[in-house]
C-alpha cells in the first residue's frame, strides 16, 4: 500500500521530496574550552540571535492571533537576559570553562527542576518554557537552529511526529511545500502554521513509516499521503492540483456572499472552531457564524482548570472576531475518548456510555460548570454569543443545565457583573433518545445542533475509533437520516432553529440531503465553507423533493447515497 | 529604604505576562528592588529577575512585600504600587 489517510488541516495538493524531521536531541560534546572569554563571547552572540529569532516569530504569531504563544516567547526573551538564567549561563562558562552548549544544557535542566518543584501547577508549567529555550539556544550554538527545519535541503514535504512552535521557529517558509504529522488535529500548531503559510497540510496520519528523500504526493483535498506515486498517479494529481487552485480562486471571490439556492432558499454556512486564530480564518473564508466553538483547547496540556477569567478572555476575543455573527460556545465535552489531566476521570468499563460531557459537568458544577457558564454569559454581554450543552439524553438534563444558567445569572447580577441575560441556550442532539423525543425537548431550548459523529456512533452501535468496525459508521444510514429528519421537524414545529455541527454538515455528499430535510445552519471546518456555499448556490431546494422522499423511505444507505450523489460536488468542482 | 505590603490582584498571580511586566518595570529603576512572598514565607528575591519572581510563586490573593532601596526609590514604589493596585478588571 502506498496511500495513507490523514486529516486535511489545510487544503491543497503538492508533490515533493520528503524531509523527515526527527526530534532527536542534539548530541553535545561535553568538553572544556581553552579560551573561556572567547566562549562567553560566542555564547553572547547566540543569545542575540535567539532573541531576534523569538522577536520575529512573535510578530508573525501576533498577526495570526496566537496570543498565548506570543506570551511564552515574550517570557523566554526575558529569560535570555535574566541574572538567574541567561547571565547564569555566561557565568557558568567563565567559571568552569565548559563549552557553551553544555553550560546551557546544565543551567536549563537545573532551573527547570526548580520550577517543577513549585507546588502550584501554574508556576511549575514554566519549566517547559525553560527547556524549550535551552533547546533553541543549543540549536543556535550548534548551527542546527530549530534542528534542521531552518535549513531544508531544498523545497520539501516535511514529515514529523508533531511540530511544536520551537521546532518551527526558524522554518524557511519558501522551502516548505507541505506539512504532514503523524499526530495532531485540525487545530494543532502544525495546522495553524500551514494555514498561515497557505500550504497544504495533513495531520493525524498515524504511525506510518516513510523513508527520507522519497517522492510523495500530499493530497490535502482527498485527505491522503501517497508514497512514490506512479507516473499515472503523478499526472492525475498534477491535474487535480491545477483544478483545485483554479477553483479555490474562483470560490474565494464569492465566499463572503450568502448561500442561497437557485430557488431563493437561504441557509447559514458556519464554521466549527477551536481558537481565536480559527475564528479569524473562518471569517476570512466567509463563515456567517460558528455553530461550534470547542472549548476543550482551554483545558488541554495543563494540570489545573482554567479560571473563569481566562475563559472569559478567550470567549470575548472569539465573540469580537465574529462581531454580529452568532457564535455558539459548547461547554466542556470530555470523557469518552477525550481525557484531561486537570479533571479526575474514574476509569470506566465503557467510557462512551459513561460519565462524559454534560454528565460530568453536572456531577461537579462548582468546578466544571459554573465558571464556564459565567465566563460565557459575561463574554456575551453586548455580543452575539450563544451557549450549548453537549450529550443531552433527557429533559431532566436540559432542566438541570438551564437551572445552572439561571443560578449563574443570579450570581452575576448580585455581583454587579455585566452579562447577557437573554443569551440563547441550546443543546446538542447526538444521542438517539434525545433525537426521538426532539419535538418535546424543543419547547425547553432556544435551538438544536445535531452532532452527527456521536449520533452515528450511538445509533449504529459502532465505535468510530475501532478500525475493525469504523467502516460501519455511515452517516447516510437510513436510521440516522430518519433521526435527523425528526430533530429538524421537531425544532421547526416548536418554532426553533436547527443546525448541525458534525462532519456531515460539510460533506458534499450529504449537503443536498440536509438541505432537502430543511436544516437551517450548516457548521463545518472553515476550509469547507467556500465549497459548501458554492454547492448550495447551484442547488434548487424544489428539485430535492425526490431525494427527500427516497431518503426517508430507503432501506439501505446505498439507495440514499446513489440519489444524493447526483447533487454532490467535490473539492474539485 | 521603603517597604510596602500588597495583595496580588492579578488572576494568574505574578506569573506569565504580569510577572514579565512587573520585572520590566522594576528594571527601569536604579534602586535595588526585592520581593518576598509572605504567604509562602519565602525568601526575599531580586525583583529584577523574572526567574526569581516566578520562583516566588505569588498566586492571586497572596501577600507580597516589596522592599526598595536607592536613589529613585520614591518613583519606583509609586510605579510598582500603581502596577499592583490598579489592575485592569480583565486581568483580575
Amino acid at each position: 500500500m502506498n496511500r495513507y489517510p490523514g486529516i486535511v488541516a489545510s487544503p491543497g495538493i503538492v508533490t515533493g521530496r520528503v524531509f523527515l524531521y526527527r526530534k532527536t536531541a542534539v548530541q553535545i560534546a561535553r568538553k572544556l574550552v581553552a579560551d573561556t572569554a572567547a566562549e562567553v563571547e560566542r555564547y553572547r552572540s547566540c543569545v542575540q540571535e535567539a532573541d531576534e529569532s523569538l522577536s520575529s516569530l512573535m510578530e508573525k504569531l501576533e498577526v495570526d492571533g496566537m496570543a498565548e504563544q506570543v506570551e511564552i516567547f515574550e517570557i523566554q526573551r526575558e529569560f535570555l537576559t535574566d541574572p538567574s538564567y541567561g547571565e547564569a549561563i555566561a557565568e557558568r562558562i567563565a567559571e568552569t570553562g565548559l563549552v557553551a552548549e553544555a553550560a546551557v544544557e546544565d543551567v536549563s535542566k537545573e532551573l527547570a527542576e526548580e520550577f517543577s518543584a513549585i507546588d502550584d501547577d501554574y508556576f511549575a508549567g514554566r519549566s517547559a518554557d525553560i527547556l524549550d529555550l535551552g533547546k533553541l539556544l543549543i540549536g543556535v550554538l550548534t548551527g542546527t537552529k530549530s534542528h534542521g527545519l531552518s535549513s531544508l535541503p531544498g523545497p520539501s514535504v516535511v514529515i514529523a511526529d508533531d511540530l511544536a512552535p520551537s521546532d518551527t521557529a526558524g522554518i524557511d517558509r519558501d522551502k516548505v511545500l507541505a506539512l504532514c504529522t503523524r499526530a495532531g488535529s485540525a487545530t494543532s500548531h502544525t495546522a495553524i502554521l500551514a494555514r498561515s503559510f497557505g500550504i497544504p497540510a495533513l495531520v493525524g496520519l498515524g504511525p506510518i513509516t516513510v523513508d527520507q528523500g522519497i517522492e510523495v504526493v500530499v493530497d490535502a483535498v482527498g485527505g491522503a499521503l501517497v508514497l512514490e506515486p506512479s507516473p499515472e498517479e503523478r499526472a492525475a494529481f498534477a491535474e487535480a492540483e491545477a483544478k483545485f487552485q483554479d477553483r479555490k480562486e474562483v470560490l474565494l471571490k464569492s465566499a463572503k456572499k450568502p448561500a442561497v439556492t437557485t430557488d431563493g432558499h437561504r441557509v447559514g454556512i458556519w464554521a466549527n472552531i477551536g481558537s481565536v486564530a480559527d475564528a479569524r480564518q473562518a471569517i476570512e473564508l466567509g463563515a456567517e457564524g460558528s455553530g461550534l466553538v470547542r472549548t476543550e483547547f482551554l483545558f488541554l496540556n495543563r494540570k489545573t482548570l482554567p479560571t473563569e477569567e481566562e475563559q472569559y478572555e478567550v470567549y470575548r476575543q472569539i465573540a469580537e472576531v465574529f462581531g454580529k455573527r452568532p457564535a455558539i460556545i459548547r461547554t466542556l465535552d470530555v470523557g469518552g475518548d477525550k481525557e484531561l489531566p486537570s479533571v479526575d476521570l474514574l476509569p470506566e468499563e465503557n467510557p462512551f456510555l459513561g460519565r462524559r460531557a454534560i454528565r460530568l459537568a453536572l456531577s461537579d458544577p462548582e468546578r466544571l460548570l459554573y465558571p464556564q457558564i459565567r465566563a460565557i454569559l459575561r463574554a456575551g454581554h453586548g455580543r452575539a454569543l450563544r451557549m450549548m450543552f453537549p450529550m443531552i439524553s433527557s429533559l431532566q438534563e436540559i432542566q438541570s443545565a438551564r437551572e445552572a444558567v439561571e443560578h449563574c445569572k443570579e450570581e452575576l447580577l448580585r455581583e454587579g457583573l455585566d452579562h447577557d441575560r437573554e443569551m440563547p441556550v441550546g443543546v446538542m442532539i447526538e444521542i438517539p433518545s434525545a433525537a426521538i423525543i426532539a419535538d418535546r425537548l424543543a419547547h425547553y431550548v432556544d435551538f438544536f445542533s445535531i452532532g452527527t459523529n456521536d449520533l452515528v456512533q450511538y445509533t449504529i452501535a459502532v465505535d468510530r475509533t475501532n478500525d475493525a468496525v469504523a467502516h460501519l459508521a455511515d452517516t447516510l444510514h437510513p436510521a440516522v437520516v430518519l433521526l435527523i429528519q425528526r430533530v429538524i421537524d421537531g425544532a421547526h414545529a416548536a418554532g426553533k432553529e436547527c443546525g448541525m455541527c458534525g462532519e456531515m454538515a460539510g460533506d458534499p455528499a450529504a449537503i443536498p440531503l440536509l438541505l432537502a430535510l430543511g436544516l437551517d445552519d450548516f457548521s463545518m471546518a472553515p476550509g469547507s465553507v467556500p465549497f459548501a456555499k458554492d454547492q448550495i448556490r447551484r442547488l434548487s431546494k424544489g428539485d430535492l423533493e425526490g431525494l427527500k422522499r427516497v431518503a426517508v423511505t430507503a432501506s439501505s444507505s446505498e439507495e440514499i447515497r446513489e440519489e444524493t450523489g447526483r447533487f454532490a460536488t467535490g473539492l474539485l468542482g | 529604604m521603603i517597604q510596602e505590603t500588597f495583595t496580588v490582584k492579578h488572576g494568574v498571580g505574578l506569573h506569565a505576562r504580569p510577572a514579565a511586566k512587573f520585572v520590566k518595570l522594576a528594571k527601569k529603576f536604579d534602586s535595588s528592588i526585592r520581593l518576598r512572598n509572605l504567604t509562602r514565607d519565602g525568601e526575599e528575591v531580586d525583583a529584577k529577575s523574572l526567574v526569581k519572581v516566578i520562583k516566588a510563586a505569588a498566586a492571586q490573593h497572596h501577600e507580597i512585600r516589596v522592599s526598595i532601596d536607592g536613589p529613585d526609590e520614591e518613583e519606583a514604589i509609586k510605579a510598582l504600587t500603581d502596577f499592583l493596585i490598579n489592575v485592569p478588571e480583565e486581568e483580575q
Side-chain angles (χ1 to χ4, degrees), chain A residues 13-78:
Chain A
I13 303 174
V14 75
T15 307
R17 299 218 164 266
V18 167
F19 179 83
L20 268 189
Y21 170 65
R22 288 192 195 86
K23 224 178 270 202
T24 45
V26 180
Q27 277 302 318
I28 296 170
R30 299 193 60 90
K31 57 184 182 192
L32 298 178
V33 292
D35 186 348
T36 53
E39 189 65 4
V40 170
E41 256 331 288
R42 185 172 79 92
Y43 165 72
R44 290 206 186 280
S45 72
C46 282
V47 167
Q48 181 82 28
E49 202 180 323
D51 186 60
E52 280 161 17
S53 144
L54 288 171
S55 145
S56 71
L57 204 64
M58 274 168 65
E59 279 168 32
K60 201 171 81 211
L61 292 171
E62 208 124 54
V63 175
D64 292 345
M66 298 176 71
E68 203 175 316
Q69 199 56 54
V70 170
E71 192 173 305
I72 291 173
F73 289 141
E74 192 181 330
I75 291 167
Q76 287 183 332
R77 286 183 69 192
E78 187 64 39

Side-chain angles (χ1 to χ4, degrees), chain A residues 67 70-71 74-75 78-79 81-85 111 114-115 118-120 122-123 126 309 312-313 417, chain B residues 12-17 20 23-24 27 40 46 48-52 54-55 57-59 89-90 92:
Chain A
V70 170
E71 192 173 305
E74 192 181 330
I75 291 167
E78 187 64 39
F79 284 156
T81 54
D82 197 290
S84 300
Y85 182 72
L111 196 52
E114 285 183 53
F115 276 166
I118 302 176
D119 59 5
D120 182 320
Y122 217 31
F123 291 85
R126 296 279 74 85
E309 288 309 315
Y312 164 77
E313 186 51 32
L417 289 169
Chain B
V12 297
L14 270 193
H15 170 258
R17 192 161 274 176
V23 169
K24 272 186 194 156
K27 280 166 132 182
R40 283 182 175 272
D46 180 4
K48 296 183 184 182
S49 160
L50 180 59
V51 169
K52 297 274 191 200
I54 289 177
K55 274 205 241 166
E89 201 176 299
E90 64 270 18
Q92 288 186 22

Side-chain angles (χ1 to χ4, degrees), chain A residues 29 66 69 131-132 146 217 269 349 377 445 481 527:
Chain A
M66 298 176 71
Q69 199 56 54
L131 290 175
D132 202 43
S146 74
V217 177
I269 301 297
E349 279 283 322
L377 287 170
V445 299
V481 172

Side-chain angles (χ1 to χ4, degrees), chain A residues 16-333:
Chain A
R17 299 218 164 266
V18 167
F19 179 83
L20 268 189
Y21 170 65
R22 288 192 195 86
K23 224 178 270 202
T24 45
V26 180
Q27 277 302 318
I28 296 170
R30 299 193 60 90
K31 57 184 182 192
L32 298 178
V33 292
D35 186 348
T36 53
E39 189 65 4
V40 170
E41 256 331 288
R42 185 172 79 92
Y43 165 72
R44 290 206 186 280
S45 72
C46 282
V47 167
Q48 181 82 28
E49 202 180 323
D51 186 60
E52 280 161 17
S53 144
L54 288 171
S55 145
S56 71
L57 204 64
M58 274 168 65
E59 279 168 32
K60 201 171 81 211
L61 292 171
E62 208 124 54
V63 175
D64 292 345
M66 298 176 71
E68 203 175 316
Q69 199 56 54
V70 170
E71 192 173 305
I72 291 173
F73 289 141
E74 192 181 330
I75 291 167
Q76 287 183 332
R77 286 183 69 192
E78 187 64 39
F79 284 156
L80 279 177
T81 54
D82 197 290
S84 300
Y85 182 72
E87 287 306 311
I89 295 171
E91 279 164 29
R92 185 70 59 92
I93 298 169
E95 281 166 15
T96 61
L98 260 180
V99 68
E101 286 89 332
V104 169
E105 189 178 53
D106 290 354
V107 174
S108 305
K109 269 192 191 155
E110 290 162 16
L111 196 52
E113 268 170 36
E114 285 183 53
F115 276 166
S116 304
I118 302 176
D119 59 5
D120 182 320
D121 289 342
Y122 217 31
F123 291 85
R126 296 279 74 85
S127 133
D129 298 339
I130 283 285
L131 290 175
D132 202 43
L133 181 59
K135 274 189 211 151
L136 176 68
L137 279 173
I138 290 171
V140 177
L141 283 164
T142 54
T144 54
K145 191 163 72 178
S146 74
H147 328 292
L149 282 184
S150 62
S151 51
L152 293 171
S156 312
V157 171
V158 173
I159 300 185
D161 284 338
D162 204 356
L163 295 169
S166 62
D167 298 319
T168 52
I171 200 164
D172 182 349
R173 63 194 294 170
D174 297 329
K175 287 186 183 163
V176 190
L177 295 174
L179 295 174
C180 298
T181 59
R182 296 183 178 93
S185 66
T187 54
S188 58
H189 171 72
T190 310
I192 292 163
L193 189 76
R195 291 196 289 255
S196 79
F197 281 14
I199 57 172
L202 287 174
V203 298
L205 283 161
I208 56 164
T209 317
V210 184
D211 292 328
Q212 188 73 267
I214 64 162
E215 194 174 62
V216 295
V217 177
V218 178
D219 176 12
V221 168
L225 177 70
V226 181
L227 309 186
E228 302 187 300
S230 66
E232 294 77 28
E233 282 176 313
R234 210 175 314 177
F237 278 119
E239 198 181 317
E241 185 190 353
K243 245 185 169 169
F244 176 77
Q245 288 307 338
D246 288 351
R247 196 165 135 74
K248 200 165 107 182
E249 241 166 74
V250 173
L251 293 191
L252 274 178
K253 280 187 198 137
S254 61
K256 302 221 166 130
K257 294 186 191 137
V260 184
T261 60
T262 55
D263 54 350
H265 179 76
R266 178 172 178 176
V267 293
I269 301 297
W270 297 6
N272 299 337
I273 62 162
S275 68
V276 183
D278 282 1
R280 293 212 174 84
Q281 195 214 4
I283 296 297
E284 202 51 41
L285 292 168
E288 296 158 337
S290 174
L292 172 61
V293 179
R294 295 185 186 89
T295 56
E296 290 74 57
F297 73 99
L298 280 163
F299 294 76
L300 292 173
N301 300 325
R302 53 186 298 161
K303 291 191 215 148
T304 49
L305 293 165
T307 61
E308 176 183 325
E309 288 309 315
E310 273 178 82
Q311 297 191 52
Y312 164 77
E313 186 51 32
V314 174
Y315 304 153
R316 185 188 60 78
Q317 285 183 33
I318 288 174
E320 273 171 10
V321 172
F322 275 91
K324 290 191 175 130
R325 304 172 188 88
I328 303 176
I329 303 201
R330 178 179 69 187
T331 61
L332 186 61
D333 185 11

